[in-house]
Each structure stands twice: as structure tokens, then as C-alpha cells.
Amino acid sequence: MFMTSYKTCIIVLTDVNTKVGLFYVNSSLFQVGIFRFRMTSYFVHFLFLWSLSVMGSAEPAGCKIRITDRGLDMLKYETQKFVEEELSNISMPEMKGEEGRFQYTITDVKITELNLTHADLRFIPDVGLLFDVQNSSISLTFNRRILYWFFYDTGNINASAEGVNINTALNLIRDEEGRLKINNITCDAKISKMSAKFSGTLGRVYGFLARFLTTGMRFLLNQKICPALDHAALVLVNSLLETIPVRTEVDQFIGIDYSLISDPVVTSRSLDMHFRGMFFDLSHQNISLVNYAVEPVIKEYDRMVYLALSEFFFDSGLFSYYTAGVFQMHIVNEKMPKDLEMLLRTTYFGFIMMLNPALVDAPLSLQLAVNSPPKTSIKTSGATVVMTAIVNVMVLPPGQPPVQLSSMTMETKFNAKVSMRGKRLSVHADLRRFKIFSNQSALESLAGFIVIGANLHFSKGLREMVVGSSEMEQQTANSTATTSTA
């Protein structure tokens, strides 16, 4: 028999000899109390691990993002530009040697141009991304110093590498804090041929050295490409990803947790990321809403990116604002519109006269407080928000305690429209209907998720973001050092 609850898990096991083992598992502390146990250890260990995996994998995503192969078309350009910039910074060692009567020294090797014309970026199912470069070229320059018998010559050499093929696979995972991370990189780089053209007084005489020098240069360049890309991915890009917060403030009342709850799901057509998508009250961050909503499902591939939000995403936000005490309103004195004050005085005039005629000119107040967390409902016909509130009408005699004129329950239902405006997710709510009822009131007569598709454009290149991230980290380090010194 297997019984579970959100916070705890109780397992009752009975063997063939009716010897009972009872376990109590606390999911937050992962502690086991054995009340009575006479079972084989391997069987119990298996069920114990299985029960923890059930609890760990039970959390559905509140938010999903899909990047399609159309989105990769745009990302390919940024990736290609980033790779070109990183390869341009490759540093080559000084080369010295002898060939017959020639003694040579090669210095100041610089990559002047990369022509990655045949580059492709695509998904690798169950792995991540593949950046593939085929039949491209690299142009280089380097200086020579050559001694031949008693002749000494210096000059510049222009070289070009043809048939450049680079195959780089990135494995994407979720790190311990819920961020996207490049776990490892596999790289294979090959240069088919390399040629060099000498300049200077004895340029034609040294032509026969070109094959010898370019063979060594091609070997060294082959050895430098993959380490440069490894550093770019595992150090620079991962450093940028580490600066992305997974819990952040939305305003002075609530924050949001958008950490990944699992590794990305990669197919031949898309990359799906599953986020927690949960808001929380900043003053009570340990109080959260349990996610019982339907998990979002994205079926489309036509646009570059899709954002899917479950009912839990919106409910957790409303719940957090509710626990933060935002859904309360006290309208009194200058805050009360004149037409509302006139309506209240006209409605309650007779009641006030029966209660105490001296209170006719006393100020009135309207207190509204939501008495339970609002609830979102998403169906194919649209999204709605249901909210229940208590409305109290009070008269405020000067120097005396307030006198309650009426207490009413108000049930409201809003139509909600969700859209993306730039970088902001916008929700527009229209009041669909409301009902007010009270036994004492004088006014008594009065689909489970959303999917948003969009196309993208870059406002900054990947290299700019990496450099900006590094500068920000350096400024933070300098600030910290200055503070600690002071």
C-alpha cells in the first residue's frame, strides 16, 4: 500500500510473513523514521528511493518556453559572429627551426579574416546544439626572420587556410540552482590545406619553404581552434548564464522564481525549457501555493519562440499579492469620489436617521478586502479571474469609534487578456460581472494554460553581453574590495 501527501510520504510494506515495516518520509528534510521494520534491506532501499523520485518529479511546470528551428536561424548569425570573434583572438606561439641551410623564426601570427560562409546551427535530440562549419577559410599574417648562409632577411607572410571544418556540439543541462548551463562540449576541427605567399627581396627564393612552414602552421592552428571554443562556451558563455537570476523581485510586494525544474528537452525541431514559474510574497518567502494546475503543452513550431503559462503562474501571483495584503482598499475623506459619496449618503440616509440623526453629516468610509486568494480559469473560450471580497460601509463620528452601516460580500468575475509588449508580459482585465449580497445590506438589490508565440530580434550581440557581464563582475569585485578596505 502506498499513501502520499504534499509534505510527507508514508509507506506501509507488508511481506509474505505479514511483518510490517512503516516509514515516515519528510520531503523537506529527507529523514526516515523506522517505527517497526523487519524487511530485506535491498527491497526497502529500492522503494525508498522510488518514493523520493515520485515526490521530486511531481512538480509540473508553471511556465514553458520553446525555441524552434526558426529561432535558431536568427541565433545562428549571433553564434557565428561570436565564434569568429573568439577565433580571431587565438594566440600562436613563436616558431623556430632549421631546414637545410635555412634558419627561420616566425612571430606575430595574427588571424586577419574568417570566412565562415558555410555555417549551420541545429538541434541535437537529447543533447543540445550543434554548430557546424564546413569548407570555410581563414586568412593569417605573420612575420619571418630567415638566415641563409650570410644573408639575413625579414618580411611579412600572408597565409590562407582552406577547407576549414569545425564541428562543435554543446550539451545543455540544468545546474543545481536551476540555471541553463553548458555541461560539456565536443569539438573537432580540421584544416584541409594551407598556403603562404612570401614578400620581400628573396620572396621567390623562399618559396620552397612555404610547404614546410604552412604544414607546421596548419598543425598548430588545428590544435588551437577547439581549446578556444571550449573556453568560449564553458567559461565565457557559462559566466554570462550564471549572472541570470532565478529568483528576483517584481515590485516591492512580490518576487518570482523562474528556475528550471528539469534539463532542457531537445528534439530535432525545438528546445523546450520547463520553469517553475512561481510568484512569492517577499515578506513571507517560505509560503507558496501548491501547483495542481494542468501542465502547459506547446504543439506549435511556426514561430521562433513560444511561451506557455499555466493557471498556476497567474494563481501564484494573485496568491502572493493576497498574502502581501495588497488586495485591500480603504476609501475615506479626500480619497472618496464625490459621486460615490453621494450614492452612499443617499442609500444609507434612512438607516442613519433611524440610528442617530446626529451622524447625517459624519464622514463615510468604504473598506474593501479580498477574503480569499483569487482564482484563474483558462479555457479555450478565454481566461477569467474570480475574486471574492468583503465590502464594509462605515460612518465615522468625530472623536468616536466607527459605526458599521453595512457588510456585504462581493463576487466578481473578470475577463483577462494576456499579451507581450516588448519585454513585458501584459495582462488586461475587464470586469465581466459582479454580485453583491448581504442579509443586512441596503444595497442588496444591486483551458488550463495559455500559449503565446512570437518572433525575436537581438538588441545586443552575444559578445557584447559577455563583455558587459565581465565588466559588471569586475566593477562588483572592485566595489566589494573598496568597501572591505574602508
Side-chain angles (χ1 to χ4, degrees):
M1 180 171 62
F2 179 63
M3 299 178 292
T4 63
S5 66
Y6 174 66
K7 290 295 184 181
T8 62
C9 174
I10 299 176
I11 308 172
V12 181
L13 303 176
T14 306
D15 65 359
V16 294
N17 297 319
T18 66
K19 297 172 182 178
V20 177
L22 179 63
F23 298 83
Y24 174 85
V25 182
N26 186 304
S27 61
S28 60
L29 299 179
F30 295 100
Q31 295 177 342
V32 181
I34 303 178
F35 296 100
R36 191 163 55 145
F37 169 72
R38 296 184 65 182
M39 297 289 291
T40 54
S41 60
Y42 67 90
F43 183 56
V44 172
H45 182 67
F46 168 79
L47 288 180
F48 171 68
L49 294 179
W50 176 78
S51 66
L52 291 183
S53 67
V54 169
M55 290 184 294
S57 62
E59 181 183 9
C63 170
K64 287 186 180 181
I65 293 179
R66 165 170 291 177
I67 300 175
T68 67
D69 45 9
R70 285 193 60 192
L72 282 189
D73 290 339
M74 182 188 61
L75 185 60
K76 179 180 72 174
Y77 171 75
E78 292 297 325
T79 304
Q80 179 178 334
K81 187 169 66 172
F82 179 69
V83 168
E84 289 175 349
E85 291 169 346
E86 291 304 309
L87 294 183
S88 298
N89 295 326
I90 288 179
S91 61
M92 301 286 285
E94 183 180 88
M95 296 175 58
K96 291 184 178 181
E98 296 182 6
E99 178 66 16
R101 297 183 183 277
F102 286 91
Q103 297 180 21
Y104 63 87
T105 301
I106 302 298
T107 60
D108 297 330
V109 181
K110 296 180 181 179
I111 295 177
T112 58
E113 183 182 0
L114 288 96
N115 187 15
L116 306 182
T117 53
H118 304 285
D120 188 27
L121 182 66
R122 58 182 181 267
F123 297 116
I124 309 177
D126 303 322
V127 177
L129 297 174
L130 173 68
F131 182 68
D132 188 49
V133 175
Q134 296 292 326
N135 198 27
S136 296
S137 62
I138 301 176
S139 299
L140 319 95
T141 61
F142 47 92
N143 295 326
R144 71 174 190 269
R145 294 196 301 271
I146 297 179
L147 179 64
Y148 178 71
W149 288 88
F150 300 106
F151 296 97
Y152 180 74
D153 185 52
T154 62
N156 185 62
I157 300 176
N158 296 319
S160 62
E162 304 293 335
V164 178
N165 299 324
I166 305 172
N167 187 280
T168 306
L170 305 177
N171 176 225
L172 303 177
I173 64 168
R174 168 195 179 274
D175 71 6
E176 294 179 354
E177 296 184 1
R179 293 185 178 91
L180 185 66
K181 179 182 180 181
I182 300 175
N183 185 41
N184 59 54
I185 176 174
T186 58
C187 176
D188 181 42
K190 293 181 180 179
I191 299 176
S192 299
K193 60 180 180 179
M194 195 167 187
S195 59
K197 182 179 180 180
F198 286 73
S199 62
T201 306
L202 302 178
R204 293 186 178 182
V205 177
Y206 301 141
F208 74 94
L209 282 177
R211 181 177 180 183
F212 174 77
L213 292 177
T214 54
T215 299
M217 186 64 64
R218 180 165 63 92
F219 174 79
L220 287 177
L221 191 57
N222 267 331
Q223 300 299 311
K224 289 287 186 177
I225 291 177
C226 283
L229 295 181
D230 286 354
H231 179 267
L234 299 178
V235 177
L236 298 182
V237 176
N238 274 344
S239 297
L240 173 64
L241 294 174
E242 288 173 0
T243 64
I244 301 174
V246 293
R247 286 174 69 94
T248 187
E249 294 183 5
V250 176
D251 52 31
Q252 71 263 35
F253 302 107
I254 69 171
I256 186 172
D257 183 330
Y258 47 86
S259 57
L260 286 169
I261 60 175
S262 61
D263 291 340
V265 178
V266 187
T267 68
S268 61
R269 301 183 62 187
S270 66
L271 181 147
D272 290 357
M273 293 176 286
H274 301 179
F275 298 91
R276 178 163 286 112
M278 179 190 72
F279 294 91
F280 55 88
D281 179 4
L282 292 176
S283 59
H284 302 90
Q285 298 192 20
N286 293 327
I287 301 177
S288 60
L289 192 66
V290 182
N291 188 353
Y292 294 119
V294 175
E295 187 161 348
V297 177
I298 305 175
K299 298 180 180 180
E300 295 85 354
Y301 295 90
D302 296 334
R303 293 187 178 271
M304 294 181 179
V305 64
Y306 288 91
L307 171 66
L309 305 171
S310 75
E311 291 177 350
F312 172 77
F313 178 85
F314 300 99
D315 283 347
S316 65
L318 295 171
F319 176 83
S320 300
Y321 276 124
Y322 171 75
T323 57
V326 174
F327 295 141
Q328 297 184 19
M329 185 182 300
H330 189 196
I331 304 175
V332 65
N333 297 330
E334 66 275 0
K335 294 182 180 180
M336 181 173 292
K338 294 299 182 182
D339 53 351
L340 177 59
E341 181 181 8
M342 180 64 67
L343 173 64
L344 293 178
R345 288 195 180 279
T346 303
T347 303
Y348 290 99
F349 178 78
F351 183 75
I352 295 175
M353 290 297 293
M354 290 188 296
L355 185 67
N356 185 351
L359 302 178
V360 170
D361 296 326
L364 297 177
S365 74
L366 186 68
Q367 299 175 358
L368 187 147
V370 175
N371 60 348
S372 63
K375 184 70 177 69
T376 306
S377 177
I378 301 175
K379 299 180 180 179
T380 55
S381 57
T384 58
V385 178
V386 176
M387 184 182 300
T388 304
I390 301 297
V391 180
N392 291 325
V393 181
M394 314 286 287
V395 62
L396 309 176
Q400 299 180 31
V403 178
Q404 179 175 298
L405 299 179
S406 178
S407 179
M408 299 168 285
T409 300
M410 181 172 67
E411 294 181 352
T412 59
K413 191 172 186 178
F414 297 89
N415 281 342
K417 296 181 181 179
V418 183
S419 60
M420 292 293 295
R421 295 185 178 179
K423 298 180 181 180
R424 293 181 176 271
L425 180 69
S426 176
V427 180
H428 179 75
D430 291 323
L431 182 61
R432 182 177 179 182
R433 68 170 183 261
F434 72 94
K435 179 173 65 174
I436 298 179
F437 55 91
S438 171
N439 293 331
Q440 301 176 350
S441 174
L443 292 180
E444 184 176 359
S445 59
L446 301 176
F449 55 88
I450 288 177
V451 177
I452 303 172
N455 293 328
L456 303 174
H457 69 276
F458 280 100
S459 58
K460 285 186 179 180
L462 181 57
R463 183 67 186 172
E464 293 178 80
M465 291 188 288
V466 170
V467 172
S469 172
S470 301
E471 292 177 352
M472 185 177 297
E473 290 180 357
Q474 184 63 38
Q475 292 175 1
T476 303
N478 292 339
S479 175
T480 303
T482 304
T483 304
S484 60
T485 303

